[in-house]
Amino acid sequence: MTLEPEPLLEVALAEARAGFAEGGIAIGAALFSAGGTLLGRGHNRRVQDGDPSMHAETAAFRAAGRQRDYRHTIMVTTLSPCWYCSGLVRQFGIGALIVGESRTFTGGHDWLAEHGVAVTVLDDDRCVALMQGFIAARPELWAEDIGVP
């Protein structure tokens, strides 16, 4: 069974919009089973929680709870994952990654593909517009998030 990535992305996109509406960083993610069952969802909460480790992928991963095996799970994120989140995918052996866009930021998705993760980059215009809007509205917060002094 091959899943269509767009409906999965909708969940992550809704999370990204929620994070932006809360005054946080507009990145959302969700973890799905290979059959398309939603296991966990979340958005970047670094600002809201005062926790620099609460990225969208981390929030979705935590919300999914403990899984016996991650090899057949799919991480869906609105933006190419940073090195921290790419490490999470690699550490736990998540088998597939769907990326909404990588125009505004290119993280570790190529590295993950080189290490056996099935990566799909959708280049979704809605994800691009959301990130561009966030970056324009909060450039200092974006610089903080990506580690620019």
Side-chain angles (χ1 to χ4, degrees):
M1 173 179 176
T2 302
L3 296 174
E4 289 297 320
E6 288 78 12
L8 306 181
L9 180 63
E10 290 296 329
V11 176
L13 194 52
E15 287 293 328
R17 289 177 178 136
F20 190 33
E22 293 171 1
I25 298 161
I27 303 171
L31 188 67
F32 291 89
S33 72
T37 300
L38 177 64
L39 302 172
R41 61 190 294 164
H43 52 273
N44 186 303
R45 297 193 50 83
R46 292 179 66 248
V47 174
Q48 298 92 314
D49 295 352
D51 180 352
S53 71
M54 191 48 76
H55 291 207
E57 297 87 344
T58 305
F61 182 77
R62 288 179 179 170
R66 185 173 161 203
Q67 304 293 311
R68 180 178 166 90
D69 181 7
Y70 295 92
R71 189 172 320 123
H72 300 292
T73 61
I74 306 162
M75 179 65 77
V76 182
T77 182
T78 56
L79 185 65
S80 180
C82 69
W83 288 110
Y84 171 64
C85 295
S86 294
L88 181 145
V89 169
R90 179 98 195 273
Q91 172 70 31
F92 290 94
I94 293 171
L97 173 70
I98 296 173
V99 176
E101 68 104 349
S102 65
R103 281 190 251 167
T104 56
F105 178 81
T106 301
H109 69 266
D110 287 336
W111 174 75
L112 288 168
E114 291 169 8
H115 288 88
V117 177
V119 175
T120 302
V121 179
L122 298 176
D123 197 31
D124 186 273
D125 287 332
R126 297 165 304 163
C127 293
V128 173
L130 182 61
M131 277 310 296
Q132 288 176 340
F134 163 73
I135 293 167
R138 301 291 308 272
E140 75 293 342
L141 188 54
W142 176 239
E144 175 191 325
D145 193 55
I146 60 172
V148 175

